[in-house]
Amino acid sequence: MHSSKFCLNIAGDTPSSNRLFDAIASHCVPVIISDDIELPFEDVLDYSEFCIFVRTSDAVREKFLINLVRSIKKDDWTRMWQKLKEVENFFEFQYPSKEGDAVQMIWKAVARKAPAIRLKVNKFRRFSRFGTPKDGVLRKIPSPSNFW
């Protein structure tokens, strides 16, 4: 991978795989073949700056991938390669954790999602004191005492 310019990241039986992270660590521009891949930190990282996305239906077309890769200009590849070097720390776990590493990125992602979860919980609780006709009892969502 270290000597490759492009690395295939083919969809498997799970939403994501280690292939993407191996490609990033190797500074090999990922060619992601998937229609529904789940990418970490996509709310803050623009993967199109350092990855190439290919629809599954296009990838199976004869010579599509090879023509696509060959059509990428050296300047474009260099720009993506530089961006890979900039973002690789976001995917590295370090002990102790350092600013901008994977652990910090995960905690920041959780912090960004917490308000949306709180909103859903609060909306659910609007009518919870009345119970539901189906179960006839008060439903309560358990949450840790230090969650809020």
Side-chain angles (χ1 to χ4, degrees), residues 47-85:
Y47 280 81
S48 66
E49 293 179 349
F50 56 92
C51 295
I52 298 167
F53 291 90
V54 180
R55 288 185 183 87
T56 306
S57 59
D58 289 333
V60 297
R61 292 179 20 215
E62 188 174 344
K63 296 187 180 181
F64 180 85
L65 281 176
I66 195 72
N67 290 335
L68 175 67
V69 170
R70 286 180 177 163
S71 72
I72 297 171
K73 295 179 174 81
K74 185 176 181 176
D75 291 344
D76 293 333
W77 178 84
T78 303
R79 182 181 39 78
M80 288 188 278
W81 179 73
Q82 291 287 353
K83 189 66 176 179
L84 277 173
K85 293 190 333 183

Side-chain angles (χ1 to χ4, degrees), residues 1 6-10 19-20 23 28-33 65:
M1 289 181 118
F6 300 97
C7 292
L8 281 178
N9 184 0
I10 301 170
R19 284 187 289 279
L20 174 65
C28 180
V29 174
V31 178
I32 299 172
I33 301 173
L65 281 176

